[in-house]
Amino acid sequence: MNILTEPTLDIPPIWKQLDLEALHGVVFVVGGVGVGKSTFARYLFRSLRAGGRRIAFLDGDPGQSWLGPPTTLTCAFDLDAQQEAPIDIRANLAESVRRVFIGSISPSGHMLPAVVGGARLVQAALSDGAQVIVYDTSGLIDPQQGGLALKLAKVELLRPATVIGIQAGKELEPLLTPLRRLRRMKVVTLRPSPSAQRRDLQARKSHRTRQFARYFAHARSLALDWTRLTESFFQ
C-alpha cells in the first residue's frame, strides 16, 4: 500500500477545503481509533507535497505503524510518490528516514519514550529542512488511560502551528477546547470519512504481523562492539 493513497476510504469534500498554503511547521493530527486519522494524515502529506514544499511525515502510532515496524516511531523526510511499500524505504531513501524505538505497541506505560522520541524526530526533520511536518499521532485519546495527558505533553513540547482533530462526536473536546482558548495555534476540527471503519483486534494484530515480517524480511546478523556503544548512543 502506498502511504500517499488510501483506496478503500473516500476523501470527504471538507478535507479538500483546507487552506494548505497556510500550513507550516508541525501539523498535529489527532483522533481516536477508526475515524480515518491516518488516512487523513497521508492524504494531507500527499496534498502538501504536491505543492512543491519540503514535507516530512511522522508516523507516531507504534501499534498500527505504516512506515516502520510496530513498537517504533518513524519519520520520513522525502517519499517517492510511486513508492508502493512504505516499510521498504531503502537505497536512495535510506538517508531520509529516522526511527526511534519506544518498546511497546501502545504509548500507555511508555509515554516518556513516546514524547521524547517524537520530539527527536521532529527536530531531525526540521534540521533536514522540512517546511511542514505532518505528525500522525496514535489513537490513544482516553483520559482514563493517559491519552489526554500524552497529547497535551506533546503539544506543550512541540508547539505545533496547527492541530487537526478528527472526531465523530465530541470525544476530542477535552483536548481541543483548552487548545482553542490558548490561541497559540490554529485548531481545526473535521468529521471522519463516512467510509471509515474500525478494525477489530484480529485485524490490528494481523497488520502488526505483516509489518514485522516486511521489516525483518532481509534481516541479517550483526556483530557489535559493546565497548563502543556508549560513544554513539546519543549521536
Side-chain angles (χ1 to χ4, degrees), residues 130-146:
Q131 296 168 289
V132 185
I133 302 168
V134 178
Y135 193 150
D136 179 21
T137 65
S138 72
L140 180 62
I141 62 172
D142 186 352
Q144 299 301 317
Q145 298 182 26

Side-chain angles (χ1 to χ4, degrees), residues 108-232:
S108 182
H110 295 76
M111 292 189 179
L112 186 56
V115 172
V116 173
R120 289 180 59 192
L121 292 177
V122 167
Q123 185 57 51
L126 292 173
S127 298
D128 196 61
Q131 296 168 289
V132 185
I133 302 168
V134 178
Y135 193 150
D136 179 21
T137 65
S138 72
L140 180 62
I141 62 172
D142 186 352
Q144 299 301 317
Q145 298 182 26
L148 176 60
L150 175 63
K151 296 299 190 291
L152 287 174
K154 289 183 178 181
V155 169
E156 182 64 24
L157 179 61
L158 300 176
R159 299 297 178 95
T162 305
V163 174
I164 300 178
I166 302 179
Q167 60 179 350
K170 295 186 177 297
E171 65 271 19
L172 292 179
E173 289 309 307
L175 170 67
L176 300 182
T177 297
L179 296 184
R180 293 190 191 101
R181 292 173 179 171
L182 284 175
R183 298 185 180 180
R184 291 194 312 218
M185 65 207 70
K186 183 177 182 181
V187 177
V188 178
T189 305
L190 298 175
R191 303 293 292 177
S193 167
S195 59
Q197 295 182 353
R198 179 166 182 162
R199 287 184 289 180
D200 60 25
L201 181 60
Q202 185 56 49
R204 295 170 70 82
K205 287 183 177 179
S206 296
H207 174 77
R208 287 194 291 268
T209 299
R210 290 193 300 270
Q211 294 297 79
F212 274 129
R214 289 175 182 174
Y215 184 78
F216 289 107
H218 302 280
R220 59 189 177 87
S221 298
L222 294 175
L224 300 176
D225 182 355
W226 289 96
T227 64
R228 302 185 61 185
L229 288 181
T230 305
E231 300 175 9
S232 59

Side-chain angles (χ1 to χ4, degrees), residues 2 9-10 22-23 26 44 50 68 72 83 96 102 104 140 142 162 185 193 206 210 216 226-227:
N2 191 312
L9 192 62
D10 295 331
L23 297 179
V26 178
L44 183 61
T72 65
Q83 182 75 25
S96 298
I102 69 167
S104 175
L140 180 62
D142 186 352
T162 305
M185 65 207 70
S193 167
S206 296
R210 290 193 300 270
F216 289 107
W226 289 96
T227 64

